[in-house]
Amino acid sequence: MNDQQSEIQPAFRTAAEAIAWITGLMPTVGIRPGLGRMELLLERLGHPERRLQFIHVAGTNGKGSVCAMLTSVLRKSGYDVGTFTSPYITSYTNRFQYNGEDIPEDVLLALANKLKPMSDSLAESEWGPLTMFELSTALALLFFGTVAYPDYVVWETGMGGRLDVTNVVNPIISVITNIGHDHMDLLGPTIADIAREKAGIIKAGVPVVAAVSQPEAIAVLQETAAEKQSTLYLLGEQFSFEALSNAEDEQRFSFEGPFRRLTDLTVGLNGSHQVSNAAVAVMTLEVLRQYKALIVEDDRLAEGLNGVAWPGRLEMVSKEPRILLDGAHNPEGMEALASALRNVYRYDRLHVMLAMMPNKNHEHSLRHILPMVDTLIITEPDFHKKMKAADLAEIVEGLRSEIGGPRSVVVEPDWRQALAVLQQAQSDDSGQGNVLSVVTGTLYLIADVRSWLLNGTKSDKGW
């Protein structure tokens, strides 16, 4: 089918049909790392990515938060900003934002109808079918490069970096938030292996900002940057920060970089790890100010950092009763959550609802939080790949005998019933002092619980 025929007989009549097609590829086609299909598709699309300025952000944890901070500051500074992130929390259209607003459904429909015949053509060739993430990335590039035309695109990787589909762009700066234990089945068994994959977003002559801490990961980044003749700005070496105060929804810090010092900044996200993420965002903006004529006034920088929001990450979705959501889906994320629970939030009783995916380092993750919990409700995400609640409970029981932990463990595979158990536990303990409930683990669970609590519906995910 050629483009003219597809316009006469579009494959999809509604945005919902188009989204169902794209998201339906996840369970059928799956994940296929590599750039070949994407490069061929972009050639057929006329390379919309070449019209855009990208800030490419990778990392194990924190990349979404850094993307949110960069977007917030750039918008406060008067720039039009496109933001591509994954996964989404409420709706598939959350992935594609222009100045904080989701892609319009009529635009998504038109672009999906443009992509469908090209996708069908590739599926019938030796290249095979496009994946959900490849189509989503192509849709983002068409949206930003042919419809919205933002000044900057904040561009988050999906997984890894080197073979991640987002790596088809040539950015003006690369950012690597940190390196941790995640997606080890695809990225490699060691921190050095994972670092090599993340370092794959470093391009020749393009500066890179990073907050990695492990010596072996730093060595990989330094080696890659030297090979690419890229200037590396590393947290702890070329720039640093000092935490000044820590309160709920307000963390003050100072920043020291190669170009100047900023004595008093505030970030509105919770958790000490967000101060590190904020320092990465500030260093990224400082490099662009110095070398790309970016205009960011100090008051706009302060407003952007202080006003940033990032759903599902230490987000208090209900204050009466208190229910905190945090997508801590790997050991580093769970360690950050445990730190925040010790240092930011006040409670006498802590109830936690948890679900995980099967390819995670669960024992390492759970060690950080189990000793703090009074009641643990183990459940399952509503997703085709998931870890059985009974299997996760078995790991929990093994750890309880070693490190202690919850006085009560409930196994409830249905996440809605599990949420009811959590709410009942909070109600029962309401006379026992300050009670805090936390929903954590895989973002597949966070997405549904957040949507249910705020809107009374499931999220329309199809990752």
Side-chain angles (χ1 to χ4, degrees):
M1 182 185 293
N2 59 39
D3 286 346
Q4 184 176 4
Q5 288 174 313
S6 67
E7 290 173 4
I8 296 171
Q9 296 179 321
F12 311 110
R13 292 173 296 176
T14 67
E17 289 180 359
I19 292 170
W21 166 58
I22 297 172
T23 58
L25 295 170
M26 187 63 181
T28 57
V29 178
I31 299 171
R32 300 170 65 195
L35 305 181
R37 288 178 303 278
M38 194 67 191
E39 289 170 341
L40 181 58
L41 179 61
L42 289 178
E43 182 179 340
R44 295 181 181 181
L45 291 170
H47 288 290
E49 79 282 4
R50 294 179 181 174
R51 305 165 198 162
L52 301 164
Q53 295 194 98
F54 294 91
I55 301 172
H56 200 183
V57 183
T60 300
N61 295 304
K63 56 185 184 291
S65 297
V66 169
C67 286
M69 293 174 191
L70 291 169
T71 298
S72 182
V73 174
L74 289 169
R75 289 189 60 209
K76 287 290 185 183
S77 300
Y79 292 102
D80 292 324
V81 185
T83 311
F84 179 64
T85 58
S86 62
Y88 52 89
I89 293 296
T90 303
S91 171
Y92 175 76
T93 56
N94 298 161
R95 283 183 182 270
F96 323 90
Q97 293 199 340
Y98 176 68
N99 289 339
E101 298 292 331
D102 288 8
I103 184 174
E105 289 193 352
D106 61 330
V107 175
L108 186 150
L109 175 61
L111 297 180
N113 277 322
K114 182 180 181 69
L115 287 168
K116 182 63 163 68
M118 297 182 183
S119 175
D120 290 345
S121 176
L122 282 171
E124 294 168 1
S125 73
E126 69 275 11
W127 290 99
L130 291 167
T131 68
M132 180 278 293
F133 195 61
E134 286 170 333
L135 278 166
S136 297
T137 304
L139 199 152
L141 293 173
L142 280 176
F143 176 46
F144 298 137
T146 67
V147 179
Y149 302 110
D151 299 307
Y152 296 96
V153 177
V154 179
W155 192 243
E156 183 186 349
T157 60
M159 190 185 303
R162 182 177 64 92
L163 297 177
D164 188 78
V165 178
T166 63
N167 207 26
V168 292
V169 308
N170 193 44
I172 56 173
I173 191 167
S174 301
V175 181
I176 301 174
T177 57
N178 61 15
I179 305 294
H181 299 85
D182 206 1
H183 301 299
M184 298 167 72
D185 53 330
L186 294 171
L187 303 182
T190 70
I191 289 293
D193 290 328
I194 297 170
R196 288 188 190 93
E197 294 302 314
K198 307 285 187 186
I201 72 167
I202 299 175
K203 302 295 196 305
V206 176
V208 57
V209 175
V212 301
S213 58
Q214 305 94 328
E216 63 271 37
I218 291 172
V220 169
L221 263 62
Q222 289 173 330
E223 178 185 348
T224 305
E227 288 174 357
K228 300 288 188 178
Q229 296 185 314
S230 300
T231 304
L232 173 62
Y233 298 90
L234 185 65
L235 179 62
E237 295 191 12
Q238 286 72 33
F239 70 102
S240 61
F241 69 89
E242 180 182 356
L244 302 177
S245 66
N246 184 355
E248 192 169 333
D249 300 330
E250 183 181 278
Q251 299 186 82
R252 292 175 50 243
F253 69 101
S254 64
F255 171 87
E256 181 86 44
F259 312 123
R260 61 176 179 151
R261 174 178 171 80
L262 297 164
T263 57
D264 193 355
L265 293 170
T266 301
V267 62
L269 298 179
N270 290 307
S272 59
H273 58 292
Q274 295 294 7
V275 182
S276 174
N277 290 332
V280 168
V282 172
M283 188 69 249
T284 302
L285 295 164
E286 286 288 287
V287 173
L288 295 178
R289 288 177 77 250
Q290 192 73 15
Y291 296 113
K292 293 291 185 180
L294 179 75
I295 299 173
V296 174
E297 302 293 345
D298 287 357
D299 58 343
R300 300 305 183 195
L301 173 64
E303 288 177 25
L305 288 178
N306 194 32
V308 69
W310 191 229
R313 279 73 167 185
L314 289 175
E315 180 188 14
M316 194 72 74
V317 291
S318 171
K319 293 194 174 182
E320 191 60 46
R322 291 198 302 161
I323 301 178
L324 183 71
L325 304 184
D326 189 59
H329 57 275
N330 55 35
E332 290 76 15
M334 200 66 80
E335 182 179 16
L337 170 60
S339 175
L341 290 172
R342 282 191 297 268
N343 301 315
V344 178
Y345 301 97
R346 299 290 172 259
Y347 54 88
D348 300 303
R349 297 270 187 173
L350 179 65
H351 304 312
V352 173
M353 174 175 162
L354 172 72
M356 290 294 224
M357 296 295 285
N359 61 341
K360 304 294 179 180
N361 190 340
H362 303 102
E363 185 173 322
H364 192 182
S365 297
L366 292 167
R367 284 180 181 276
H368 292 294
I369 197 170
L370 282 186
M372 310 169 71
V373 179
D374 290 294
T375 302
L376 179 68
I377 300 109
I378 302 171
T379 188
E380 298 174 5
D382 181 14
F383 192 64
H384 68 280
K385 292 181 179 179
K386 61 184 178 183
M387 185 172 195
K388 295 292 186 183
D391 294 338
L392 187 56
E394 189 175 331
I395 296 173
V396 168
E397 287 304 320
L399 285 172
R400 281 176 87 194
S401 62
E402 177 187 345
I403 63 174
R407 57 185 171 84
S408 174
V409 176
V410 178
V411 180
E412 173 49 71
D414 185 310
W415 68 265
R416 286 189 195 82
Q417 294 299 320
L419 182 60
V421 173
L422 180 73
Q423 292 168 318
Q424 185 62 50
Q426 187 161 33
S427 176
D428 291 344
D429 276 356
S430 60
Q432 306 296 319
N434 197 353
V435 185
L436 177 64
S437 291
V438 177
V439 181
T440 188
T442 173
L443 285 167
Y444 298 110
L445 174 69
I446 301 300
D448 277 336
V449 171
R450 184 179 189 274
S451 186
W452 191 261
L453 290 173
L454 295 179
N455 308 312
T457 63
K458 290 172 52 180
S459 71
D460 66 351
K461 66 184 179 299
W463 305 330

